[in-house]
Amino acid sequence: MVDLKHLRLPAQSGEAQELLSALIGHEQFRDDYAGGGVLSEVARHGPYWLRLVAPDVYEAVSRERTGCVLWGWVNQFGDVPDELEADVRQEVFGRVEAADHISYPSGLGNGAIHDWGRVHEHFHEFVLIDRSAGRITLLVAADD
């Protein structure tokens, strides 16, 4: 599953850390990506305890690294059908290419994984900031 959540950037949007903080505080961030959907009272984000997710656990990553991680996930069980690959190129990689800044959570260790978080065998999250489109996108590629 690839999940894309798009939020508008504020007119006076700040630096990446400030935008990450706003994203983490947004209701749409409260999703366990295991079928529960967005729940405002949830204490989990993907496989992680929400209280442990903070802007400082994210690092800036290149388009190339993002592409390697995502293509590895997409093709983990072999090549995907041409039609699906075209959709992924447009909907996912088109947004990666348009982003002026990409962040990836790298500072969350095993202690941040919640009680049933290991249901996610593969969980990849990227935050794409596209100032020209006035959009921040939370991109999650996960399987449980």
Side-chain angles (χ1 to χ4, degrees), residues 8-41:
R8 277 184 288 146
L9 287 175
Q12 297 296 323
S13 60
E15 297 299 315
Q17 292 297 95
E18 182 182 331
L19 292 171
L20 284 166
S21 181
L23 174 67
I24 293 166
H26 197 281
E27 181 180 72
Q28 289 295 311
F29 197 76
R30 289 162 176 72
D31 193 331
D32 58 26
Y33 298 96
V38 175
L39 301 169
S40 60
E41 301 304 317

Short mmCIF file of all heavy atoms in Angstrom, two decimals, residues 8-41:
data_model
loop_
_atom_site.label_atom_id
_atom_site.label_comp_id
_atom_site.label_asym_id
_atom_site.label_seq_id
_atom_site.Cartn_x
_atom_site.Cartn_y
_atom_site.Cartn_z
N ARG A 8 -1.97 21.47 2.78
CA ARG A 8 -1.52 22.76 2.25
C ARG A 8 -0.49 23.38 3.17
O ARG A 8 -0.61 23.32 4.38
CB ARG A 8 -2.70 23.72 2.12
CG ARG A 8 -3.50 23.52 0.85
CD ARG A 8 -4.59 24.53 0.72
NE ARG A 8 -5.60 24.15 1.71
CZ ARG A 8 -6.36 24.99 2.37
NH1 ARG A 8 -6.26 26.27 2.16
NH2 ARG A 8 -7.23 24.57 3.24
N LEU A 9 0.52 23.97 2.54
CA LEU A 9 1.51 24.71 3.31
C LEU A 9 0.89 26.03 3.74
O LEU A 9 0.16 26.66 2.95
CB LEU A 9 2.75 25.01 2.47
CG LEU A 9 3.67 23.84 2.16
CD1 LEU A 9 4.78 24.29 1.23
CD2 LEU A 9 4.26 23.26 3.42
N PRO A 10 1.18 26.49 4.95
CA PRO A 10 0.70 27.82 5.33
C PRO A 10 1.33 28.88 4.43
O PRO A 10 2.43 28.68 3.90
CB PRO A 10 1.19 27.98 6.77
CG PRO A 10 1.84 26.71 7.16
CD PRO A 10 1.94 25.83 5.97
N ALA A 11 0.64 30.00 4.25
CA ALA A 11 1.13 31.07 3.38
C ALA A 11 2.55 31.49 3.79
O ALA A 11 3.40 31.72 2.94
CB ALA A 11 0.19 32.27 3.43
N GLN A 12 2.79 31.57 5.06
CA GLN A 12 4.12 31.92 5.56
C GLN A 12 4.77 30.67 6.14
O GLN A 12 4.97 30.55 7.34
CB GLN A 12 4.01 33.01 6.65
CG GLN A 12 3.43 34.32 6.15
CD GLN A 12 4.32 34.95 5.11
OE1 GLN A 12 5.54 34.91 5.17
NE2 GLN A 12 3.70 35.56 4.10
N SER A 13 5.08 29.72 5.28
CA SER A 13 5.64 28.46 5.76
C SER A 13 7.10 28.65 6.14
O SER A 13 7.85 29.35 5.49
CB SER A 13 5.49 27.36 4.72
OG SER A 13 6.14 27.70 3.53
N GLY A 14 7.47 27.97 7.21
CA GLY A 14 8.82 28.10 7.74
C GLY A 14 9.76 27.04 7.21
O GLY A 14 9.55 26.45 6.15
N GLU A 15 10.77 26.79 7.99
CA GLU A 15 11.79 25.79 7.65
C GLU A 15 11.21 24.39 7.79
O GLU A 15 10.14 24.19 8.36
CB GLU A 15 13.00 25.96 8.56
CG GLU A 15 13.71 27.28 8.41
CD GLU A 15 14.26 27.49 7.01
OE1 GLU A 15 14.87 26.56 6.45
OE2 GLU A 15 14.08 28.60 6.47
N ALA A 16 11.96 23.40 7.30
CA ALA A 16 11.50 22.01 7.30
C ALA A 16 11.14 21.54 8.71
O ALA A 16 10.12 20.87 8.89
CB ALA A 16 12.56 21.10 6.67
N GLN A 17 11.94 21.88 9.71
CA GLN A 17 11.67 21.41 11.08
C GLN A 17 10.33 21.94 11.59
O GLN A 17 9.58 21.23 12.25
CB GLN A 17 12.80 21.82 12.03
CG GLN A 17 14.11 21.11 11.77
CD GLN A 17 14.02 19.61 11.98
OE1 GLN A 17 13.80 18.87 11.03
NE2 GLN A 17 14.17 19.17 13.20
N GLU A 18 10.03 23.20 11.27
CA GLU A 18 8.76 23.79 11.68
C GLU A 18 7.59 23.09 10.99
O GLU A 18 6.56 22.81 11.60
CB GLU A 18 8.78 25.28 11.34
CG GLU A 18 7.54 26.03 11.77
CD GLU A 18 7.60 27.50 11.38
OE1 GLU A 18 8.70 28.06 11.28
OE2 GLU A 18 6.52 28.06 11.15
N LEU A 19 7.76 22.79 9.70
CA LEU A 19 6.71 22.10 8.96
C LEU A 19 6.53 20.67 9.46
O LEU A 19 5.40 20.17 9.54
CB LEU A 19 7.03 22.11 7.46
CG LEU A 19 6.97 23.49 6.81
CD1 LEU A 19 7.50 23.43 5.39
CD2 LEU A 19 5.55 24.04 6.85
N LEU A 20 7.62 19.98 9.79
CA LEU A 20 7.52 18.64 10.36
C LEU A 20 6.75 18.66 11.68
O LEU A 20 5.91 17.80 11.94
CB LEU A 20 8.91 18.04 10.58
CG LEU A 20 9.61 17.54 9.33
CD1 LEU A 20 11.08 17.29 9.61
CD2 LEU A 20 8.94 16.29 8.79
N SER A 21 7.01 19.65 12.49
CA SER A 21 6.30 19.78 13.76
C SER A 21 4.80 19.96 13.53
O SER A 21 3.98 19.33 14.20
CB SER A 21 6.88 20.97 14.54
OG SER A 21 6.22 21.10 15.79
N ALA A 22 4.45 20.81 12.58
CA ALA A 22 3.03 21.01 12.26
C ALA A 22 2.40 19.73 11.73
O ALA A 22 1.27 19.38 12.08
CB ALA A 22 2.87 22.15 11.25
N LEU A 23 3.12 19.00 10.88
CA LEU A 23 2.61 17.75 10.33
C LEU A 23 2.38 16.73 11.44
O LEU A 23 1.32 16.10 11.50
CB LEU A 23 3.58 17.19 9.29
CG LEU A 23 3.24 15.80 8.74
CD1 LEU A 23 1.96 15.85 7.92
CD2 LEU A 23 4.39 15.26 7.92
N ILE A 24 3.34 16.55 12.31
CA ILE A 24 3.23 15.59 13.40
C ILE A 24 2.04 15.92 14.31
O ILE A 24 1.36 15.03 14.81
CB ILE A 24 4.55 15.51 14.20
CG1 ILE A 24 5.64 14.91 13.32
CG2 ILE A 24 4.38 14.72 15.50
CD1 ILE A 24 7.05 15.09 13.84
N GLY A 25 1.75 17.20 14.47
CA GLY A 25 0.62 17.63 15.29
C GLY A 25 -0.72 17.54 14.60
O GLY A 25 -1.77 17.66 15.24
N HIS A 26 -0.74 17.32 13.31
CA HIS A 26 -1.98 17.28 12.54
C HIS A 26 -2.70 15.94 12.75
O HIS A 26 -2.08 14.90 12.88
CB HIS A 26 -1.66 17.46 11.05
CG HIS A 26 -2.84 17.83 10.23
ND1 HIS A 26 -3.78 16.91 9.82
CD2 HIS A 26 -3.26 19.02 9.74
CE1 HIS A 26 -4.71 17.51 9.12
NE2 HIS A 26 -4.42 18.79 9.05
N GLU A 27 -4.02 16.01 12.77
CA GLU A 27 -4.83 14.81 12.96
C GLU A 27 -4.54 13.72 11.92
O GLU A 27 -4.53 12.53 12.23
CB GLU A 27 -6.31 15.18 12.92
CG GLU A 27 -7.24 13.99 13.15
CD GLU A 27 -8.69 14.38 13.10
OE1 GLU A 27 -9.18 14.68 11.98
OE2 GLU A 27 -9.33 14.38 14.16
N GLN A 28 -4.26 14.10 10.67
CA GLN A 28 -4.01 13.12 9.61
C GLN A 28 -2.75 12.28 9.86
O GLN A 28 -2.58 11.23 9.26
CB GLN A 28 -3.89 13.83 8.25
CG GLN A 28 -5.20 14.37 7.74
CD GLN A 28 -6.19 13.25 7.45
OE1 GLN A 28 -5.86 12.28 6.78
NE2 GLN A 28 -7.40 13.40 7.96
N PHE A 29 -1.90 12.73 10.78
CA PHE A 29 -0.68 11.99 11.10
C PHE A 29 -0.99 10.79 12.00
O PHE A 29 -0.20 9.87 12.10
CB PHE A 29 0.31 12.93 11.79
CG PHE A 29 1.73 12.43 11.82
CD1 PHE A 29 2.52 12.47 10.69
CD2 PHE A 29 2.27 11.93 12.99
CE1 PHE A 29 3.83 12.02 10.72
CE2 PHE A 29 3.58 11.49 13.04
CZ PHE A 29 4.36 11.52 11.89
N ARG A 30 -2.15 10.80 12.63
CA ARG A 30 -2.53 9.75 13.58
C ARG A 30 -3.15 8.57 12.85
O ARG A 30 -4.35 8.37 12.87
CB ARG A 30 -3.48 10.32 14.62
CG ARG A 30 -2.78 11.25 15.56
CD ARG A 30 -3.76 12.14 16.32
NE ARG A 30 -3.07 12.98 17.28
CZ ARG A 30 -2.31 14.01 16.98
NH1 ARG A 30 -2.10 14.33 15.73
NH2 ARG A 30 -1.73 14.72 17.91
N ASP A 31 -2.31 7.81 12.22
CA ASP A 31 -2.75 6.67 11.42
C ASP A 31 -1.78 5.52 11.70
O ASP A 31 -0.57 5.71 11.66
CB ASP A 31 -2.70 7.04 9.93
CG ASP A 31 -3.41 6.06 9.03
OD1 ASP A 31 -3.47 4.87 9.38
OD2 ASP A 31 -3.87 6.48 7.96
N ASP A 32 -2.33 4.35 12.00
CA ASP A 32 -1.46 3.21 12.29
C ASP A 32 -1.08 2.43 11.03
O ASP A 32 -0.25 1.54 11.08
CB ASP A 32 -2.08 2.27 13.32
CG ASP A 32 -3.44 1.72 12.91
OD1 ASP A 32 -3.73 1.62 11.69
OD2 ASP A 32 -4.22 1.37 13.81
N TYR A 33 -1.70 2.77 9.89
CA TYR A 33 -1.42 2.13 8.61
C TYR A 33 -1.57 0.61 8.67
O TYR A 33 -0.88 -0.12 7.99
CB TYR A 33 -0.03 2.53 8.06
CG TYR A 33 0.04 4.01 7.80
CD1 TYR A 33 0.58 4.87 8.74
CD2 TYR A 33 -0.48 4.55 6.63
CE1 TYR A 33 0.61 6.24 8.52
CE2 TYR A 33 -0.46 5.91 6.40
CZ TYR A 33 0.08 6.75 7.35
OH TYR A 33 0.10 8.11 7.13
N ALA A 34 -2.49 0.19 9.52
CA ALA A 34 -2.79 -1.24 9.64
C ALA A 34 -4.28 -1.47 9.53
O ALA A 34 -4.80 -2.44 10.07
CB ALA A 34 -2.24 -1.78 10.96
N GLY A 35 -4.96 -0.56 8.86
CA GLY A 35 -6.39 -0.72 8.62
C GLY A 35 -7.30 0.12 9.50
O GLY A 35 -8.48 0.22 9.24
N GLY A 36 -6.75 0.74 10.52
CA GLY A 36 -7.58 1.54 11.42
C GLY A 36 -7.91 2.92 10.87
O GLY A 36 -8.87 3.54 11.30
N GLY A 37 -7.11 3.41 9.94
CA GLY A 37 -7.34 4.75 9.40
C GLY A 37 -6.91 5.82 10.37
O GLY A 37 -6.21 5.57 11.35
N VAL A 38 -7.33 7.04 10.10
CA VAL A 38 -6.99 8.20 10.93
C VAL A 38 -7.96 8.27 12.10
O VAL A 38 -9.17 8.32 11.91
CB VAL A 38 -7.05 9.50 10.12
CG1 VAL A 38 -6.82 10.71 11.01
CG2 VAL A 38 -6.04 9.46 8.98
N LEU A 39 -7.41 8.23 13.30
CA LEU A 39 -8.22 8.33 14.52
C LEU A 39 -7.58 9.39 15.41
O LEU A 39 -6.42 9.25 15.81
CB LEU A 39 -8.26 6.97 15.24
CG LEU A 39 -8.84 5.82 14.43
CD1 LEU A 39 -8.59 4.50 15.13
CD2 LEU A 39 -10.33 6.03 14.21
N SER A 40 -8.34 10.42 15.74
CA SER A 40 -7.77 11.55 16.47
C SER A 40 -7.24 11.19 17.85
O SER A 40 -6.36 11.86 18.36
CB SER A 40 -8.79 12.68 16.58
OG SER A 40 -9.94 12.24 17.28
N GLU A 41 -7.73 10.12 18.45
CA GLU A 41 -7.28 9.74 19.78
C GLU A 41 -6.20 8.66 19.77
O GLU A 41 -5.84 8.14 20.82
CB GLU A 41 -8.48 9.27 20.61
CG GLU A 41 -9.56 10.33 20.77
CD GLU A 41 -9.03 11.63 21.38
OE1 GLU A 41 -8.25 11.57 22.35
OE2 GLU A 41 -9.39 12.70 20.87
#
